[in-house]
mmCIF file of all heavy atoms in Angstrom:
data_model
loop_
_atom_site.group_PDB
_atom_site.id
_atom_site.type_symbol
_atom_site.label_atom_id
_atom_site.label_comp_id
_atom_site.label_asym_id
_atom_site.label_seq_id
_atom_site.Cartn_x
_atom_site.Cartn_y
_atom_site.Cartn_z
ATOM 1 N N LEU A 160 0.496 -27.508 -20.263
ATOM 2 C CA LEU A 160 1.835 -27.966 -20.604
ATOM 3 C C LEU A 160 1.843 -29.462 -20.910
ATOM 4 O O LEU A 160 2.471 -29.899 -21.894
ATOM 5 C CB LEU A 160 2.799 -27.636 -19.470
ATOM 6 C CG LEU A 160 4.259 -28.071 -19.675
ATOM 7 C CD1 LEU A 160 4.853 -27.391 -20.902
ATOM 8 C CD2 LEU A 160 5.102 -27.732 -18.442
ATOM 9 N N GLY A 161 1.144 -30.242 -20.093
ATOM 10 C CA GLY A 161 1.096 -31.683 -20.324
ATOM 11 C C GLY A 161 0.480 -32.026 -21.658
ATOM 12 O O GLY A 161 0.969 -32.921 -22.373
ATOM 13 N N ARG A 162 -0.632 -31.358 -22.001
ATOM 14 C CA ARG A 162 -1.271 -31.627 -23.298
ATOM 15 C C ARG A 162 -0.362 -31.287 -24.464
ATOM 16 O O ARG A 162 -0.264 -32.056 -25.433
ATOM 17 C CB ARG A 162 -2.574 -30.791 -23.384
ATOM 18 C CG ARG A 162 -3.304 -30.960 -24.706
ATOM 19 C CD ARG A 162 -4.676 -30.308 -24.651
ATOM 20 N NE ARG A 162 -4.635 -28.886 -24.332
ATOM 21 C CZ ARG A 162 -4.334 -27.936 -25.249
ATOM 22 N NH1 ARG A 162 -4.012 -28.291 -26.501
ATOM 23 N NH2 ARG A 162 -4.335 -26.677 -24.900
ATOM 24 N N LEU A 163 0.331 -30.126 -24.389
ATOM 25 C CA LEU A 163 1.224 -29.751 -25.466
ATOM 26 C C LEU A 163 2.413 -30.706 -25.591
ATOM 27 O O LEU A 163 2.891 -31.016 -26.680
ATOM 28 C CB LEU A 163 1.698 -28.328 -25.289
ATOM 29 C CG LEU A 163 0.644 -27.225 -25.466
ATOM 30 C CD1 LEU A 163 1.274 -25.851 -25.248
ATOM 31 C CD2 LEU A 163 0.002 -27.298 -26.829
ATOM 32 N N MET A 164 2.894 -31.172 -24.435
ATOM 33 C CA MET A 164 4.005 -32.149 -24.468
ATOM 34 C C MET A 164 3.539 -33.429 -25.132
ATOM 35 O O MET A 164 4.297 -34.051 -25.924
ATOM 36 C CB MET A 164 4.491 -32.415 -23.032
ATOM 37 C CG MET A 164 5.308 -31.292 -22.418
ATOM 38 S SD MET A 164 6.931 -31.092 -23.192
ATOM 39 C CE MET A 164 7.673 -29.883 -22.102
ATOM 40 N N ASP A 165 2.334 -33.886 -24.826
ATOM 41 C CA ASP A 165 1.814 -35.124 -25.447
ATOM 42 C C ASP A 165 1.646 -34.959 -26.950
ATOM 43 O O ASP A 165 2.030 -35.848 -27.740
ATOM 44 C CB ASP A 165 0.474 -35.484 -24.825
ATOM 45 C CG ASP A 165 0.604 -35.986 -23.380
ATOM 46 O OD1 ASP A 165 1.737 -36.331 -22.991
ATOM 47 O OD2 ASP A 165 -0.414 -35.965 -22.652
ATOM 48 N N GLU A 166 1.103 -33.809 -27.352
ATOM 49 C CA GLU A 166 0.921 -33.562 -28.791
ATOM 50 C C GLU A 166 2.271 -33.492 -29.503
ATOM 51 O O GLU A 166 2.424 -33.981 -30.626
ATOM 52 C CB GLU A 166 0.163 -32.242 -29.005
ATOM 53 C CG GLU A 166 -1.292 -32.288 -28.548
ATOM 54 C CD GLU A 166 -1.969 -30.936 -28.637
ATOM 55 O OE1 GLU A 166 -1.288 -29.969 -29.058
ATOM 56 O OE2 GLU A 166 -3.168 -30.839 -28.300
ATOM 57 N N ASN A 167 3.239 -32.879 -28.845
ATOM 58 C CA ASN A 167 4.560 -32.757 -29.432
ATOM 59 C C ASN A 167 5.229 -34.124 -29.613
ATOM 60 O O ASN A 167 5.890 -34.360 -30.628
ATOM 61 C CB ASN A 167 5.452 -31.848 -28.572
ATOM 62 C CG ASN A 167 6.818 -31.625 -29.140
ATOM 63 O OD1 ASN A 167 6.977 -31.034 -30.206
ATOM 64 N ND2 ASN A 167 7.836 -32.108 -28.457
ATOM 65 N N ALA A 168 5.036 -34.999 -28.625
ATOM 66 C CA ALA A 168 5.639 -36.315 -28.703
ATOM 67 C C ALA A 168 5.103 -37.114 -29.876
ATOM 68 O O ALA A 168 5.801 -37.972 -30.451
ATOM 69 C CB ALA A 168 5.388 -37.068 -27.410
ATOM 70 N N LYS A 169 3.856 -36.832 -30.293
ATOM 71 C CA LYS A 169 3.254 -37.562 -31.405
ATOM 72 C C LYS A 169 3.547 -36.916 -32.750
ATOM 73 O O LYS A 169 3.211 -37.464 -33.814
ATOM 74 C CB LYS A 169 1.734 -37.627 -31.191
ATOM 75 C CG LYS A 169 1.320 -38.373 -29.939
ATOM 76 C CD LYS A 169 -0.183 -38.260 -29.688
ATOM 77 C CE LYS A 169 -0.586 -38.926 -28.388
ATOM 78 N NZ LYS A 169 -2.030 -38.742 -28.090
ATOM 79 N N SER A 170 4.176 -35.728 -32.706
ATOM 80 C CA SER A 170 4.443 -35.001 -33.945
ATOM 81 C C SER A 170 5.551 -35.681 -34.748
ATOM 82 O O SER A 170 6.444 -36.318 -34.212
ATOM 83 C CB SER A 170 4.868 -33.562 -33.618
ATOM 84 O OG SER A 170 5.331 -32.899 -34.751
ATOM 85 N N SER A 171 5.465 -35.536 -36.079
ATOM 86 C CA SER A 171 6.504 -36.125 -36.948
ATOM 87 C C SER A 171 7.815 -35.349 -36.841
ATOM 88 O O SER A 171 8.879 -35.878 -37.130
ATOM 89 C CB SER A 171 6.020 -36.104 -38.395
ATOM 90 O OG SER A 171 5.699 -34.782 -38.805
ATOM 91 N N GLU A 172 7.716 -34.089 -36.432
ATOM 92 C CA GLU A 172 8.924 -33.258 -36.227
ATOM 93 C C GLU A 172 8.816 -32.584 -34.839
ATOM 94 O O GLU A 172 8.549 -31.407 -34.720
ATOM 95 C CB GLU A 172 9.058 -32.198 -37.303
ATOM 96 C CG GLU A 172 9.246 -32.767 -38.716
ATOM 97 C CD GLU A 172 9.406 -31.692 -39.775
ATOM 98 O OE1 GLU A 172 9.444 -30.487 -39.370
ATOM 99 O OE2 GLU A 172 9.512 -32.027 -40.942
#
Side-chain angles (χ1 to χ4, degrees):
L160 179 60
R162 178 170 59 79
L163 291 181
M164 286 291 187
D165 290 342
E166 291 174 359
N167 183 64
K169 298 173 184 176
S170 172
S171 58
E172 296 181 4

